[in-house]
Amino acid sequence: DTAVSQTPKYLVTQMGNDKSIKCEQNLGHDTMYWYKQDSKKFLKIMFSYNNKELIINETVPNRFSPKSPDKAHLNLHINSLELGDSAVYFCASSQVFLAGDQDTQYFGPGTRLTVL
Amino acid sequence: DAKTTQPTSMDCAEGRAANLPCNHSTISGNEYVYWYRQIHSQGPQYIIHGLKNNETNEMASLIITEDRKSSTLILPHATLRDTAVYYCIVRKIYGGSQGNLIFGKGTKLSVKP
């Protein structure tokens, strides 16, 4: 069974559109994350959610709105897509929120978003 | 910004040990050393982490120097499937944004037949 899954795997869309990426984890973890990996391969954290509540927002434009309907899901909705949003988006989860021994992060396979 | 320095790339012969170095000279006492890797077109994968003692698991060994300013990840018998970018990350043991995983450029390890 896949621990952290994302859909879709590929997403191609036009500038200005609104799109969503879904993430689900079956590990029973409390914390979920979204990361963005740009064309230069730098991987940066965007959001952290703990028990369905937003904990960290790393200065991401408000066009990006994460939504956590329950602890197992964290979806990413993006409004008014721009060319610069093209990247690979990774979802991750960890058992607990605090850093240290208990919060190893497990990543999903990624969603490659291409904005034309 | 990443607080670690790693070589850009390394080669290793299949079946041999791969030793990946990492410098973290500004590490503080409340920071762990984590290693992740990213195989092409996949999400990052956790490998191992440690605070000050050497650690070993089924994937790798982590050797941390006594002054904690550097560490080495050892893959004892590298296979072609170990070809990936390896990230050495230093992170605090508290929560909040101080505990974020901050990925640098990593080391591109190429395992050759």
Side-chain angles (χ1 to χ4, degrees):
Chain A
D1 285 343
T2 303
V4 182
S5 60
Q6 297 178 227
T7 54
K9 188 168 175 62
Y10 300 96
L11 185 54
V12 181
T13 188
Q14 300 285 336
M15 264 196 319
N17 284 350
D18 303 337
K19 290 293 179 185
S20 292
I21 306 172
K22 295 186 177 181
C23 177
E24 176 180 4
Q25 53 94 4
N26 62 6
L27 297 167
H29 288 170
D30 285 345
T31 308
M32 296 185 73
Y33 312 81
W34 277 109
Y35 286 80
K36 177 181 179 181
Q37 189 167 38
D38 60 24
S39 57
K40 296 183 179 178
K41 303 296 186 183
F42 285 112
L43 190 63
K44 288 188 175 180
I45 191 165
M46 300 173 67
F47 300 101
S48 298
Y49 263 72
N50 188 55
N51 281 318
K52 303 191 300 175
E53 292 191 8
L54 179 65
I55 299 298
I56 294 170
N57 177 342
E58 290 292 328
T59 61
V60 176
N62 57 16
R63 297 184 296 104
F64 292 79
S65 52
K67 295 254 184 338
S68 182
D70 54 60
K71 285 200 309 183
H73 296 84
L74 180 63
N75 304 322
L76 183 65
H77 188 76
I78 315 170
N79 290 326
S80 303
L81 277 155
E82 301 177 356
L83 294 176
D85 297 331
S86 294
V88 182
Y89 292 84
F90 290 99
C91 177
S93 74
S94 64
Q95 185 174 0
V96 296
F97 173 61
L98 292 174
D101 265 337
Q102 304 301 317
D103 69 343
T104 297
Q105 293 185 24
Y106 296 86
F107 286 77
T111 296
R112 181 174 294 277
L113 171 65
T114 303
V115 182
L116 303 175
Chain B
D1 292 332
K3 297 186 285 186
T4 62
T5 305
Q6 299 176 252
T8 302
S9 63
M10 293 181 64
D11 289 342
C12 178
E14 189 178 19
R16 305 297 293 268
N19 297 289
L20 292 93
C22 180
N23 285 324
H24 31 79
S25 57
T26 61
I27 193 170
S28 58
N30 59 4
E31 290 181 317
Y32 279 84
V33 179
Y34 273 74
W35 283 84
Y36 279 75
R37 72 179 182 183
Q38 188 172 20
I39 296 169
H40 182 62
S41 296
Q42 296 184 23
Q45 177 189 22
Y46 165 78
I47 302 173
I48 199 167
H49 73 279
L51 185 59
K52 51 185 176 181
N53 297 323
N54 296 338
E55 302 289 342
T56 295
N57 63 21
E58 64 278 3
M59 287 184 70
S61 295
L62 174 60
I63 309 297
I64 302 174
T65 58
E66 194 167 339
D67 62 9
R68 302 187 68 240
K69 293 185 177 181
S70 66
S71 59
T72 301
L73 178 74
I74 301 172
L75 307 178
H77 306 287
T79 70
L80 299 179
R81 289 177 295 180
D82 291 322
T83 292
V85 178
Y86 287 77
Y87 298 98
C88 171
I89 301 166
V90 164
R91 63 186 299 219
K92 289 190 184 297
I93 60 174
Y94 313 129
S97 60
Q98 295 177 16
N100 282 348
L101 284 176
I102 299 176
F103 289 82
K105 296 182 181 179
T107 296
K108 174 82 168 80
L109 175 69
S110 298
V111 180
K112 301 184 183 299

